[in-house]
Amino acid sequence: MIMMAEQLQLLYSVDGPPRHSRLLHRGGHVIPKSGQSTGRCCYLRLLPCANSPAEAHQGSHGGQQKEDGNYCQLRHLTVAKVLDTAKPVLKFARTNFLPLALITGVTIGLANPVPGCLAQKYSLSNWSTFGIFLVSGLTLRSGEMTAAIEAWPAGAFGLASILLFTPIISRLVLQLKLIPQEFVTGLAMFCCMPTTLSSGVALTQLVGGNSALALSLTVASNLLGIVTVPFMLSKFVAQGVGASVPAGQLLKSLTLMLLVPLLLGKGIRNSFNGVSKFVDERRELFSMINSIFLALVPWMQVSGSRTLLLTVSPMTFISAIGIGMCLHLIFLSLNTVIMHGLSLIFGGKRSTFGKENNARAIIIVASQKTLPVMVAIVGQLGGMLGEAGLLVIPCVAAHINQIIIDSFLVSIWLQRDKMALHVKET
Protein backbone atom coordinates (compact mmCIF):
# COMPACT_ATOMS: atom_id res chain seq x y z
CA MET A 1 0.00 0.00 0.00
CA ILE A 2 2.89 2.35 0.87
CA MET A 3 4.64 1.52 -2.43
CA MET A 4 1.45 2.21 -4.37
CA ALA A 5 1.08 5.58 -2.65
CA GLU A 6 4.66 6.44 -3.60
CA GLN A 7 3.95 5.56 -7.25
CA LEU A 8 0.86 7.72 -7.32
CA GLN A 9 2.78 10.58 -5.72
CA LEU A 10 5.48 10.31 -8.42
CA LEU A 11 2.97 10.22 -11.29
CA TYR A 12 1.13 13.24 -9.99
CA SER A 13 4.32 15.17 -9.35
CA VAL A 14 5.38 14.72 -12.98
CA ASP A 15 2.06 15.42 -14.68
CA GLY A 16 0.20 17.78 -12.36
CA PRO A 17 0.39 20.19 -9.49
CA PRO A 18 3.39 20.72 -7.22
CA ARG A 19 4.86 18.18 -4.89
CA HIS A 20 2.73 19.33 -1.96
CA SER A 21 -0.19 17.34 -3.35
CA ARG A 22 -0.61 13.66 -4.08
CA LEU A 23 -3.34 11.28 -5.26
CA LEU A 24 -5.14 8.73 -3.18
CA HIS A 25 -6.95 6.24 -5.35
CA ARG A 26 -9.71 3.69 -5.17
CA GLY A 27 -9.88 0.71 -7.46
CA GLY A 28 -6.17 0.14 -8.14
CA HIS A 29 -5.76 2.06 -11.41
CA VAL A 30 -4.74 5.62 -12.18
CA ILE A 31 -6.66 7.91 -14.53
CA PRO A 32 -4.20 9.59 -16.90
CA LYS A 33 -4.12 13.33 -17.39
CA SER A 34 -6.09 13.07 -20.62
CA GLY A 35 -9.05 11.72 -18.66
CA GLN A 36 -9.19 8.32 -20.48
CA SER A 37 -8.90 5.31 -18.23
CA THR A 38 -6.40 2.54 -19.02
CA GLY A 39 -8.17 0.05 -16.79
CA ARG A 40 -10.96 -0.02 -14.30
CA CYS A 41 -12.59 3.28 -13.46
CA CYS A 42 -11.19 4.84 -10.33
CA TYR A 43 -11.93 7.87 -8.19
CA LEU A 44 -9.21 10.28 -7.17
CA ARG A 45 -8.98 12.98 -4.56
CA LEU A 46 -6.21 15.33 -3.45
CA LEU A 47 -4.56 15.04 -0.05
CA PRO A 48 -1.47 16.73 1.44
CA CYS A 49 1.77 15.23 0.17
CA ALA A 50 3.84 13.05 2.48
CA ASN A 51 7.63 13.22 2.57
CA SER A 52 8.17 9.60 3.65
CA PRO A 53 6.40 6.23 3.54
CA ALA A 54 5.52 6.55 7.21
CA GLU A 55 4.00 9.96 6.60
CA ALA A 56 2.14 8.54 3.63
CA HIS A 57 0.60 5.89 5.87
CA GLN A 58 -0.38 8.48 8.45
CA GLY A 59 -1.49 10.97 5.78
CA SER A 60 -4.44 8.89 4.71
CA HIS A 61 -5.89 9.29 8.21
CA GLY A 62 -4.69 12.85 8.72
CA GLY A 63 -6.18 13.98 5.41
CA GLN A 64 -9.49 12.41 6.30
CA GLN A 65 -9.47 14.22 9.66
CA LYS A 66 -8.66 17.51 7.93
CA GLU A 67 -11.46 16.98 5.46
CA ASP A 68 -13.87 16.13 8.27
CA GLY A 69 -12.73 19.28 10.09
CA ASN A 70 -13.33 21.39 7.01
CA TYR A 71 -16.75 19.83 6.58
CA CYS A 72 -17.66 20.55 10.22
CA GLN A 73 -16.43 24.11 9.86
CA LEU A 74 -18.51 24.56 6.71
CA ARG A 75 -21.53 23.07 8.44
CA HIS A 76 -21.15 25.43 11.43
CA LEU A 77 -20.85 28.39 9.07
CA THR A 78 -24.02 27.29 7.27
CA VAL A 79 -25.93 26.90 10.54
CA ALA A 80 -24.71 30.32 11.71
CA LYS A 81 -25.81 31.87 8.43
CA VAL A 82 -29.27 30.27 8.74
CA LEU A 83 -29.59 31.51 12.32
CA ASP A 84 -28.59 35.04 11.30
CA THR A 85 -31.22 34.95 8.56
CA ALA A 86 -33.85 33.63 11.01
CA LYS A 87 -33.21 36.27 13.70
CA PRO A 88 -35.52 38.93 12.17
CA VAL A 89 -38.23 36.31 11.69
CA LEU A 90 -37.94 35.10 15.29
CA LYS A 91 -37.94 38.69 16.56
CA PHE A 92 -41.09 39.44 14.57
CA ALA A 93 -42.74 36.27 15.92
CA ARG A 94 -41.91 37.20 19.54
CA THR A 95 -43.11 40.76 19.10
CA ASN A 96 -46.36 39.75 17.41
CA PHE A 97 -46.96 36.43 19.15
CA LEU A 98 -50.58 37.15 20.16
CA PRO A 99 -51.94 38.13 16.72
CA LEU A 100 -50.00 35.27 15.11
CA ALA A 101 -51.43 32.83 17.68
CA LEU A 102 -54.98 34.09 17.08
CA ILE A 103 -54.62 33.88 13.29
CA THR A 104 -53.13 30.39 13.59
CA GLY A 105 -55.97 29.21 15.83
CA VAL A 106 -58.64 30.51 13.46
CA THR A 107 -56.85 29.05 10.42
CA ILE A 108 -56.49 25.60 11.99
CA GLY A 109 -60.14 25.66 13.03
CA LEU A 110 -61.20 26.39 9.45
CA ALA A 111 -58.79 23.86 7.91
CA ASN A 112 -59.56 20.93 10.22
CA PRO A 113 -62.47 21.38 12.65
CA VAL A 114 -62.42 17.87 14.14
CA PRO A 115 -59.83 18.44 16.93
CA GLY A 116 -61.43 21.77 17.88
CA CYS A 117 -64.92 20.24 18.07
CA LEU A 118 -63.55 17.40 20.20
CA ALA A 119 -61.85 19.88 22.57
CA GLN A 120 -65.06 21.88 22.81
CA LYS A 121 -67.00 18.72 23.61
CA TYR A 122 -64.82 18.15 26.69
CA SER A 123 -65.13 21.83 27.82
CA LEU A 124 -61.48 22.70 27.21
CA SER A 125 -62.62 26.30 26.60
CA ASN A 126 -63.51 26.67 30.29
CA TRP A 127 -60.06 25.53 31.35
CA SER A 128 -58.31 27.76 28.83
CA THR A 129 -60.33 30.77 30.06
CA PHE A 130 -59.40 29.86 33.63
CA GLY A 131 -55.75 29.69 32.56
CA ILE A 132 -55.90 33.11 30.87
CA PHE A 133 -56.96 34.91 34.03
CA LEU A 134 -54.80 32.79 36.34
CA VAL A 135 -51.71 33.86 34.36
CA SER A 136 -53.04 37.44 34.27
CA GLY A 137 -53.22 37.40 38.07
CA LEU A 138 -49.69 36.00 38.35
CA THR A 139 -48.29 38.78 36.15
CA LEU A 140 -50.34 41.63 37.67
CA ARG A 141 -48.04 44.16 39.35
CA SER A 142 -49.89 46.49 41.72
CA GLY A 143 -46.98 48.22 43.47
CA GLU A 144 -47.21 51.27 41.18
CA MET A 145 -50.96 51.74 41.59
CA THR A 146 -50.54 54.21 44.46
CA ALA A 147 -48.84 56.58 42.00
CA ALA A 148 -52.17 56.88 40.13
CA ILE A 149 -54.05 58.37 43.08
CA GLU A 150 -53.20 61.96 42.18
CA ALA A 151 -54.65 61.39 38.69
CA TRP A 152 -57.96 60.02 40.02
CA PRO A 153 -60.18 62.51 38.10
CA ALA A 154 -58.72 61.33 34.80
CA GLY A 155 -59.04 57.75 36.01
CA ALA A 156 -62.70 58.28 36.85
CA PHE A 157 -63.38 59.54 33.33
CA GLY A 158 -61.46 56.59 31.91
CA LEU A 159 -63.63 54.12 33.82
CA ALA A 160 -66.79 55.88 32.70
CA SER A 161 -65.62 55.80 29.09
CA ILE A 162 -64.73 52.10 29.20
CA LEU A 163 -67.79 50.83 31.07
CA LEU A 164 -70.50 53.33 30.09
CA PHE A 165 -69.83 55.65 27.11
CA THR A 166 -68.35 53.15 24.65
CA PRO A 167 -70.98 50.45 25.41
CA ILE A 168 -73.70 52.93 24.39
CA ILE A 169 -72.22 52.95 20.87
CA SER A 170 -73.24 49.28 20.58
CA ARG A 171 -76.79 50.49 19.91
CA LEU A 172 -75.54 52.31 16.82
CA VAL A 173 -73.60 49.25 15.67
CA LEU A 174 -76.75 47.12 15.79
CA GLN A 175 -78.34 49.40 13.18
CA LEU A 176 -75.91 48.01 10.59
CA LYS A 177 -76.95 45.09 8.42
CA LEU A 178 -74.67 42.22 7.47
CA ILE A 179 -75.28 38.60 6.61
CA PRO A 180 -74.73 36.81 8.93
CA GLN A 181 -76.06 39.25 11.52
CA GLU A 182 -73.84 37.62 14.17
CA PHE A 183 -70.93 39.67 12.82
CA VAL A 184 -72.72 42.87 13.81
CA THR A 185 -73.92 41.40 17.12
CA GLY A 186 -70.39 40.29 17.97
CA LEU A 187 -68.97 43.77 17.36
CA ALA A 188 -71.79 45.30 19.42
CA MET A 189 -70.89 42.93 22.27
CA PHE A 190 -67.24 43.89 21.85
CA CYS A 191 -68.16 47.53 22.56
CA CYS A 192 -69.40 46.50 26.03
CA MET A 193 -66.14 44.85 27.12
CA PRO A 194 -63.58 46.29 29.57
CA THR A 195 -60.12 47.33 28.40
CA THR A 196 -57.30 45.02 27.31
CA LEU A 197 -55.32 43.19 29.98
CA SER A 198 -51.81 44.03 28.80
CA SER A 199 -51.43 45.83 25.46
CA GLY A 200 -52.85 49.14 26.70
CA VAL A 201 -50.37 49.32 29.58
CA ALA A 202 -47.48 48.26 27.34
CA LEU A 203 -48.23 50.94 24.73
CA THR A 204 -48.65 53.56 27.46
CA GLN A 205 -45.22 52.71 28.85
CA LEU A 206 -43.73 52.83 25.36
CA VAL A 207 -45.01 56.35 24.68
CA GLY A 208 -44.02 57.68 28.11
CA GLY A 209 -47.57 57.94 29.46
CA ASN A 210 -48.76 57.49 33.03
CA SER A 211 -48.31 53.72 33.26
CA ALA A 212 -49.58 53.64 36.85
CA LEU A 213 -52.83 55.23 35.72
CA ALA A 214 -53.05 52.80 32.80
CA LEU A 215 -52.51 49.84 35.12
CA SER A 216 -55.12 51.11 37.59
CA LEU A 217 -57.67 51.50 34.80
CA THR A 218 -56.92 48.00 33.53
CA VAL A 219 -57.40 46.36 36.91
CA ALA A 220 -60.43 48.41 37.95
CA SER A 221 -62.29 48.11 34.63
CA ASN A 222 -61.80 44.35 34.41
CA LEU A 223 -62.94 43.82 38.01
CA LEU A 224 -65.93 46.15 37.71
CA GLY A 225 -66.64 44.83 34.22
CA ILE A 226 -67.54 41.46 35.67
CA VAL A 227 -70.49 43.26 37.28
CA THR A 228 -71.34 45.81 34.58
CA VAL A 229 -70.87 43.81 31.35
CA PRO A 230 -73.80 41.39 31.89
CA PHE A 231 -76.19 44.30 32.45
CA MET A 232 -74.78 46.30 29.51
CA LEU A 233 -75.23 43.29 27.23
CA SER A 234 -78.78 42.81 28.48
CA LYS A 235 -79.62 46.51 28.12
CA PHE A 236 -77.93 47.49 24.85
CA VAL A 237 -77.32 44.29 22.85
CA ALA A 238 -79.89 41.67 23.81
CA GLN A 239 -82.82 44.07 23.51
CA GLY A 240 -81.51 45.26 20.17
CA VAL A 241 -81.56 41.75 18.68
CA GLY A 242 -84.76 40.67 20.42
CA ALA A 243 -83.06 38.21 22.76
CA SER A 244 -82.81 37.84 26.52
CA VAL A 245 -79.56 37.59 28.48
CA PRO A 246 -79.82 36.30 32.07
CA ALA A 247 -77.64 39.00 33.65
CA GLY A 248 -77.62 37.42 37.12
CA GLN A 249 -76.60 33.99 35.84
CA LEU A 250 -73.95 35.52 33.57
CA LEU A 251 -72.58 37.55 36.50
CA LYS A 252 -72.22 34.37 38.54
CA SER A 253 -70.48 32.57 35.66
CA LEU A 254 -68.07 35.45 35.06
CA THR A 255 -67.24 35.61 38.76
CA LEU A 256 -66.29 31.93 38.75
CA MET A 257 -64.51 31.94 35.37
CA LEU A 258 -62.75 35.31 35.52
CA LEU A 259 -62.60 36.83 39.01
CA VAL A 260 -61.69 33.66 40.94
CA PRO A 261 -58.65 32.72 38.81
CA LEU A 262 -57.53 36.37 38.61
CA LEU A 263 -57.59 36.73 42.40
CA LEU A 264 -56.04 33.26 42.81
CA GLY A 265 -53.13 34.19 40.57
CA LYS A 266 -52.68 37.52 42.35
CA GLY A 267 -52.84 35.77 45.73
CA ILE A 268 -50.16 33.27 44.71
CA ARG A 269 -47.96 36.12 43.49
CA ASN A 270 -48.24 38.03 46.77
CA SER A 271 -48.23 35.07 49.18
CA PHE A 272 -45.16 33.08 48.16
CA ASN A 273 -41.65 34.48 48.27
CA GLY A 274 -39.87 34.46 44.95
CA VAL A 275 -42.97 33.96 42.79
CA SER A 276 -43.20 37.61 41.73
CA LYS A 277 -39.47 37.70 40.89
CA PHE A 278 -39.70 34.42 38.97
CA VAL A 279 -42.70 35.64 36.96
CA ASP A 280 -41.33 39.14 36.31
CA GLU A 281 -38.05 37.72 34.99
CA ARG A 282 -40.05 35.57 32.55
CA ARG A 283 -42.83 37.96 31.57
CA GLU A 284 -42.37 37.27 27.86
CA LEU A 285 -42.77 33.53 28.44
CA PHE A 286 -45.92 34.00 30.54
CA SER A 287 -47.29 36.40 27.94
CA MET A 288 -46.81 33.71 25.29
CA ILE A 289 -48.52 31.12 27.50
CA ASN A 290 -51.45 33.51 27.95
CA SER A 291 -51.60 34.07 24.19
CA ILE A 292 -51.76 30.32 23.58
CA PHE A 293 -54.60 29.96 26.11
CA LEU A 294 -56.43 32.81 24.41
CA ALA A 295 -55.93 31.39 20.90
CA LEU A 296 -57.42 28.05 21.99
CA VAL A 297 -60.84 29.61 22.55
CA PRO A 298 -61.49 31.03 19.04
CA TRP A 299 -59.90 27.86 17.63
CA MET A 300 -62.62 25.76 19.28
CA GLN A 301 -65.41 28.23 18.52
CA VAL A 302 -64.41 28.60 14.86
CA SER A 303 -64.13 24.80 14.54
CA GLY A 304 -67.72 24.43 15.75
CA SER A 305 -68.97 27.11 13.33
CA ARG A 306 -66.84 26.16 10.32
CA THR A 307 -69.77 25.09 8.14
CA LEU A 308 -71.50 28.45 8.57
CA LEU A 309 -68.28 30.44 8.23
CA LEU A 310 -67.50 28.89 4.84
CA THR A 311 -70.82 30.18 3.50
CA VAL A 312 -69.89 33.81 4.30
CA SER A 313 -68.75 35.89 1.33
CA PRO A 314 -65.27 37.52 1.43
CA MET A 315 -66.84 40.98 1.10
CA THR A 316 -68.79 40.38 4.32
CA PHE A 317 -65.54 39.55 6.14
CA ILE A 318 -63.93 42.70 4.76
CA SER A 319 -66.94 44.78 5.79
CA ALA A 320 -66.84 43.37 9.33
CA ILE A 321 -63.11 44.12 9.60
CA GLY A 322 -63.72 47.66 8.36
CA ILE A 323 -66.50 48.20 10.91
CA GLY A 324 -64.20 47.04 13.70
CA MET A 325 -61.47 49.47 12.61
CA CYS A 326 -63.95 52.33 12.40
CA LEU A 327 -65.21 51.55 15.91
CA HIS A 328 -61.72 51.84 17.35
CA LEU A 329 -61.11 55.12 15.52
CA ILE A 330 -64.41 56.42 16.95
CA PHE A 331 -63.32 55.43 20.47
CA LEU A 332 -59.96 57.17 20.01
CA SER A 333 -61.63 60.33 18.69
CA LEU A 334 -64.25 60.35 21.44
CA ASN A 335 -61.71 60.01 24.25
CA THR A 336 -59.37 62.58 22.69
CA VAL A 337 -62.10 65.20 22.29
CA ILE A 338 -63.53 64.70 25.80
CA MET A 339 -60.09 64.77 27.44
CA HIS A 340 -59.26 67.99 25.60
CA GLY A 341 -62.61 69.52 26.61
CA LEU A 342 -62.14 68.57 30.27
CA SER A 343 -58.64 70.04 30.27
CA LEU A 344 -60.04 73.38 29.01
CA ILE A 345 -62.75 73.36 31.67
CA PHE A 346 -60.50 72.43 34.62
CA GLY A 347 -57.44 74.62 34.08
CA GLY A 348 -55.74 73.72 30.82
CA LYS A 349 -52.42 71.92 30.74
CA ARG A 350 -51.91 72.37 34.48
CA SER A 351 -54.96 70.22 35.27
CA THR A 352 -54.98 66.44 35.64
CA PHE A 353 -56.76 66.15 32.31
CA GLY A 354 -54.30 68.45 30.53
CA LYS A 355 -51.12 66.61 31.51
CA GLU A 356 -49.85 64.84 28.43
CA ASN A 357 -48.83 61.63 30.19
CA ASN A 358 -52.32 61.28 31.72
CA ALA A 359 -54.08 62.11 28.45
CA ARG A 360 -52.09 59.54 26.49
CA ALA A 361 -52.79 56.82 29.07
CA ILE A 362 -56.54 57.53 28.99
CA ILE A 363 -56.77 57.78 25.18
CA ILE A 364 -55.02 54.44 24.66
CA VAL A 365 -56.45 52.37 27.50
CA ALA A 366 -60.05 53.68 27.35
CA SER A 367 -60.23 53.04 23.59
CA GLN A 368 -59.24 49.37 23.66
CA LYS A 369 -61.48 46.37 24.29
CA THR A 370 -60.45 42.99 25.65
CA LEU A 371 -60.91 39.75 23.74
CA PRO A 372 -60.57 37.20 26.61
CA VAL A 373 -63.68 38.48 28.42
CA MET A 374 -65.55 38.51 25.11
CA VAL A 375 -64.79 34.87 24.27
CA ALA A 376 -65.57 33.83 27.86
CA ILE A 377 -68.99 35.47 27.68
CA VAL A 378 -69.78 33.97 24.27
CA GLY A 379 -68.95 30.55 25.69
CA GLN A 380 -71.23 31.09 28.69
CA LEU A 381 -74.19 32.34 26.63
CA GLY A 382 -74.48 29.03 24.81
CA GLY A 383 -75.79 30.45 21.54
CA MET A 384 -78.36 32.87 23.00
CA LEU A 385 -77.12 35.71 20.77
CA GLY A 386 -76.01 33.60 17.81
CA GLU A 387 -73.43 31.07 16.64
CA ALA A 388 -70.28 31.36 18.76
CA GLY A 389 -67.75 31.27 15.92
CA LEU A 390 -69.61 33.93 13.94
CA LEU A 391 -69.74 36.21 16.98
CA VAL A 392 -66.02 35.84 17.75
CA ILE A 393 -64.40 36.11 14.28
CA PRO A 394 -64.94 39.90 13.76
CA CYS A 395 -63.83 40.55 17.35
CA VAL A 396 -60.56 38.68 16.79
CA ALA A 397 -59.92 40.95 13.79
CA ALA A 398 -60.95 44.04 15.79
CA HIS A 399 -58.63 43.08 18.65
CA ILE A 400 -55.64 42.73 16.31
CA ASN A 401 -56.46 45.91 14.40
CA GLN A 402 -56.78 48.05 17.52
CA ILE A 403 -53.26 47.09 18.58
CA ILE A 404 -51.92 47.88 15.09
CA ILE A 405 -53.70 51.27 14.97
CA ASP A 406 -52.51 52.22 18.45
CA SER A 407 -48.94 51.21 17.55
CA PHE A 408 -49.06 53.71 14.68
CA LEU A 409 -50.50 56.33 17.03
CA VAL A 410 -47.68 55.75 19.52
CA SER A 411 -45.14 56.06 16.70
CA ILE A 412 -46.67 59.42 15.66
CA TRP A 413 -46.54 60.70 19.24
CA LEU A 414 -42.91 59.64 19.63
CA GLN A 415 -41.95 61.32 16.36
CA ARG A 416 -43.70 64.49 17.49
CA ASP A 417 -41.86 64.42 20.82
CA LYS A 418 -38.56 63.92 19.02
CA MET A 419 -39.21 66.90 16.74
CA ALA A 420 -40.28 69.09 19.69
CA LEU A 421 -37.09 68.17 21.57
CA HIS A 422 -34.99 68.96 18.49
CA VAL A 423 -36.64 72.38 18.11
CA LYS A 424 -36.13 73.09 21.81
CA GLU A 425 -32.42 72.22 21.64
CA THR A 426 -31.83 74.41 18.58
Side-chain angles (χ1 to χ4, degrees):
M1 186 68 184
I2 295 174
M3 292 177 63
M4 188 176 298
E6 290 176 345
Q7 292 173 359
L8 290 171
Q9 178 181 343
L10 179 60
L11 284 170
Y12 195 72
S13 298
V14 172
D15 293 336
R19 192 181 184 286
H20 294 290
S21 298
R22 69 178 173 82
L23 291 171
L24 185 65
H25 81 290
R26 258 186 245 164
H29 289 76
V30 177
I31 296 179
K33 184 178 179 181
S34 62
Q36 297 178 352
S37 175
T38 57
R40 293 200 317 269
C41 179
C42 65
Y43 303 91
L44 307 176
R45 63 181 175 182
L46 294 174
L47 288 174
C49 178
N51 294 321
S52 68
E55 288 180 5
H57 179 70
Q58 295 175 359
S60 62
H61 299 286
Q64 181 66 40
Q65 291 175 358
K66 184 174 181 181
E67 181 179 315
D68 291 343
N70 291 337
Y71 171 74
C72 290
Q73 185 178 7
L74 179 62
R75 184 175 61 182
H76 289 319
L77 289 173
T78 304
V79 171
K81 187 175 180 180
V82 171
L83 290 176
D84 287 340
T85 306
K87 279 182 180 179
V89 178
L90 294 175
K91 183 179 179 181
F92 177 82
R94 287 197 304 269
T95 306
N96 301 278
F97 191 81
L98 175 57
L100 290 175
L102 291 171
I103 293 171
T104 301
V106 171
T107 304
I108 293 174
L110 290 173
N112 184 12
V114 176
C117 292
L118 188 63
Q120 195 172 29
K121 178 181 177 181
Y122 289 99
S123 301
L124 181 61
S125 59
N126 291 336
W127 291 105
S128 60
T129 303
F130 187 91
I132 290 168
F133 288 92
L134 178 65
V135 173
S136 297
L138 287 171
T139 57
L140 184 59
R141 293 182 289 196
S142 55
E144 299 176 345
M145 291 179 64
T146 54
I149 295 176
E150 64 177 21
W152 71 265
F157 163 72
L159 277 178
S161 177
I162 294 168
L163 300 177
L164 179 61
F165 300 152
T166 51
I168 293 174
I169 298 177
S170 63
R171 295 301 296 267
L172 300 177
V173 176
L174 290 173
Q175 304 306 311
L176 302 173
K177 300 298 179 184
L178 284 179
I179 299 176
Q181 189 63 22
E182 281 94 337
F183 279 8
V184 174
T185 305
L187 289 171
M189 294 175 64
F190 197 57
C191 293
C192 299
M193 298 300 117
T195 190
T196 51
L197 293 169
S198 59
S199 60
V201 177
L203 289 169
T204 300
Q205 291 173 337
L206 183 62
V207 79
N210 189 337
S211 57
L213 177 59
L215 180 61
S216 300
L217 274 177
T218 300
V219 175
S221 67
N222 278 274
L223 291 177
L224 293 174
I226 294 173
V227 177
T228 63
V229 168
F231 296 99
M232 291 296 173
L233 289 176
S234 178
K235 177 70 175 176
F236 296 125
V237 180
Q239 291 182 5
V241 297
S244 175
V245 172
Q249 182 181 346
L250 184 57
L251 173 60
K252 181 180 178 181
S253 299
L254 291 181
T255 301
L256 292 175
M257 296 301 301
L258 308 187
L259 184 60
V260 169
L262 184 69
L263 295 179
L264 177 62
K266 183 62 177 171
I268 293 173
R269 178 184 175 89
N270 293 342
S271 301
F272 296 95
N273 294 329
V275 172
S276 59
K277 182 180 179 181
F278 178 84
V279 173
D280 289 342
E281 289 176 350
R282 297 163 179 82
R283 291 190 73 83
E284 185 178 5
L285 173 62
F286 278 90
S287 176
M288 289 182 176
I289 293 172
N290 219 5
S291 299
I292 293 172
F293 279 137
L294 178 56
L296 288 175
V297 180
W299 165 60
M300 288 178 277
Q301 293 173 340
V302 168
S303 297
S305 307
R306 177 179 180 270
T307 304
L308 288 174
L309 284 169
L310 293 179
T311 63
V312 179
S313 67
M315 286 305 300
T316 303
F317 277 114
I318 295 173
S319 299
I321 292 172
I323 294 170
M325 295 176 68
C326 289
L327 277 175
H328 187 61
L329 292 174
I330 290 171
F331 294 161
L332 287 171
S333 301
L334 176 69
N335 289 312
T336 301
V337 170
I338 295 179
M339 282 294 291
H340 182 68
L342 290 173
S343 69
L344 293 177
I345 295 171
F346 291 100
K349 291 186 177 181
R350 293 174 298 177
S351 67
T352 302
F353 301 100
K355 291 181 179 179
E356 196 169 64
N357 61 339
N358 291 342
R360 289 179 176 181
I362 296 296
I363 291 170
I364 291 175
V365 175
S367 301
Q368 293 189 355
K369 296 295 180 180
T370 184
L371 186 63
V373 178
M374 170 69 187
V375 295
I377 288 174
V378 169
Q380 294 300 314
L381 288 177
M384 291 181 184
L385 296 178
E387 191 68 28
L390 297 177
L391 293 170
V392 167
I393 281 286
C395 300
V396 171
H399 181 83
I400 296 171
N401 287 329
Q402 71 183 359
I403 297 173
I404 295 172
I405 292 171
D406 288 351
S407 299
F408 279 111
L409 178 61
V410 166
S411 178
I412 292 171
W413 278 339
L414 290 174
Q415 288 293 329
R416 193 178 70 181
D417 292 347
K418 186 177 180 181
M419 291 175 62
L421 181 62
H422 179 72
V423 170
K424 186 177 180 180
E425 290 176 349
T426 55

